[in-house]
Amino acid sequence: MTRLPMVDPNSQDEILQPVFERLKARWGEVLHLYRVLGWSPTLVKAWGAFAWSLRFEVKASRRLRELMVIHIAQQLGARYEFEHHRPMALEEGISEAQVEALATWRQHPQLFCADEQLMLRLGDELATGPGASAETMEALRARLSNSDLMEILVTGAYYCAVARVVNSLDLDLEPNHHDLRARDT
């Protein structure tokens, strides 16, 4: 059970209201994460803008980013994050077999191309260490533009933070989380 109560999705707070309305337009409702973050309207406004940029505005491969996000979520035991991003990863072309093999991806190299293996390696290092190793950064630089590298690195680091927040809150999934999909607005 979520460790903090959720803010009313119809809050009249002058900072929260436009953020929540934008979320309703995009998702059909205000996701639980934002309702709990709503206890700090200034924080949720900044968090939402940053998350929006990472999700919808960066140019680096969405497929690779979603693979890394679900891998990080799985490693950190962030069910809320995993369940929200799993459908996105599948929609981006990640296979069920790949999702099932995430925990043991090094034992299944045939399931993951070189770029995917690199994303999983980055996800491992971000989730379980102090950051990406020099070797991983060198491999990323060899395969990606500086812009794509930065977008992927920051995406991974951000979703490590998301995992730690949702785990700390013991955040409950929305009852209809399987049906939630971002809408074009």
Side-chain angles (χ1 to χ4, degrees), residues 6 56 59 61 68 71 75-77 81 84 95 101 103 120 122 149 174 176:
M6 287 185 244
F56 301 111
K59 304 295 184 227
S61 168
M68 181 180 54
H71 183 50
Q75 288 182 87
L76 295 176
E81 182 175 302
H84 274 281
S95 71
L120 296 170
L122 177 60
L149 187 157
E174 297 79 7
N176 63 335

Side-chain angles (χ1 to χ4, degrees), residues 64 68 71-72 75 105-106 115-129 131-133 136-137 140 144 148-157 160:
L64 293 176
M68 181 180 54
H71 183 50
I72 287 168
Q75 288 182 87
W105 70 269
R106 291 178 193 275
D115 285 345
E116 292 165 343
Q117 289 181 38
L118 185 54
M119 290 306 104
L120 296 170
R121 187 167 107 195
L122 177 60
D124 285 342
E125 292 176 6
L126 291 175
T128 62
S133 67
T136 297
M137 289 299 293
L140 288 164
L144 302 171
D148 285 355
L149 187 157
M150 186 54 59
E151 291 174 358
I152 286 171
L153 179 63
V154 171
T155 297
C160 287

Side-chain angles (χ1 to χ4, degrees), residues 79-168:
R79 182 172 177 254
Y80 184 91
E81 182 175 302
F82 183 85
E83 291 297 331
H84 274 281
H85 283 270
R86 184 179 185 277
M88 293 180 236
L90 294 172
E91 287 170 6
E92 292 298 323
I94 301 302
S95 71
E96 286 285 353
Q98 288 175 304
V99 173
E100 294 303 316
L102 284 176
T104 57
W105 70 269
R106 291 178 193 275
Q107 298 170 22
H108 307 282
Q110 74 283 1
L111 287 177
F112 302 97
C113 72
D115 285 345
E116 292 165 343
Q117 289 181 38
L118 185 54
M119 290 306 104
L120 296 170
R121 187 167 107 195
L122 177 60
D124 285 342
E125 292 176 6
L126 291 175
T128 62
S133 67
E135 296 80 17
T136 297
M137 289 299 293
E138 185 176 321
L140 288 164
R141 289 196 67 202
R143 299 187 79 84
L144 302 171
S145 69
N146 289 342
S147 176
D148 285 355
L149 187 157
M150 186 54 59
E151 291 174 358
I152 286 171
L153 179 63
V154 171
T155 297
Y158 172 79
Y159 281 101
C160 287
V162 172
R164 288 176 170 94
V165 169
V166 299
N167 285 347
S168 296

